[in-house]
Amino acid sequence: MSLGKIEHIGIAVKSLETSNLLFKKLIGAEHYKTEEVKSENVITSFFKAGENKIELLEATSPESAIAKFIEKKGEGIHHIAFDVKDIHAEMKRLEAEGFSLLNKEPKRGADNKLVCFLHPKGTNGVLIELCQEIG
Ligand code: ZN
């Protein structure tokens, strides 16, 4: 068992409207989807650059983790997501390795994924997301 490729990089932004235009200019292609994740109080948009995906995240509520992140650190890279084949097995493995999981059960994320986050205190300050494509 190990982590797979980097599935996407998540970037916290204040305004999707503004940043969609910026990333369209940067990448040279439009975002290909927008999705709200109500449980996380975020709205996301996805870009593809070659094989790589960028997820932009805007808070829909001041209670959102994205709003708090921007308040503390400003806009910028929020998380790195790794693709996993079996999220339950990886969560068990990483917990046994001493990492702390922010959710004990996988939850439904954007883009048809089951996700789990690792506490950034245990990963050199980088929030890590595990994600498994749902069937
Ligand atoms: Zn993500």
Side-chain angles (χ1 to χ4, degrees), residues 106-122:
K107 48 186 185 178
R108 191 80 190 238
D111 202 26
N112 198 39
K113 301 277 197 292
L114 282 176
V115 305
C116 176
F117 288 92
L118 303 190
H119 200 293
K121 271 189 188 149

Side-chain angles (χ1 to χ4, degrees), residues 8-10 46 55 57 79 81 115 117 129:
H8 62 269
I9 293 176
F46 284 87
E55 174 187 35
L57 304 113
H79 64 270
V115 305
F117 288 92
E129 175 184 351

Side-chain angles (χ1 to χ4, degrees), residues 37-90:
V37 184
K38 287 221 164 84
S39 57
E40 300 293 311
N41 296 310
V42 293
I43 179 158
T44 64
S45 70
F46 284 87
F47 287 83
K48 259 184 200 144
E51 294 187 346
N52 300 303
K53 281 193 222 162
I54 303 284
E55 174 187 35
L56 302 182
L57 304 113
E58 179 193 317
T60 55
S61 142
E63 295 312 305
S64 159
I66 295 300
K68 289 176 184 156
F69 178 90
I70 289 176
E71 201 179 283
K72 248 205 241 166
K73 301 188 176 177
E75 295 177 297
I77 293 183
H78 177 257
H79 64 270
I80 297 179
F82 289 91
D83 189 46
V84 298
K85 294 275 170 278
D86 180 343
I87 197 166
H88 291 94
E90 283 303 326

Side-chain angles (χ1 to χ4, degrees), residues 93-124:
R93 180 182 75 80
L94 292 165
E95 202 162 36
E97 293 284 6
F99 292 98
S100 88
L101 308 178
L102 287 180
N103 44 300
K104 295 292 169 201
E105 286 297 322
K107 48 186 185 178
R108 191 80 190 238
D111 202 26
N112 198 39
K113 301 277 197 292
L114 282 176
V115 305
C116 176
F117 288 92
L118 303 190
H119 200 293
K121 271 189 188 149
T123 51
N124 288 136

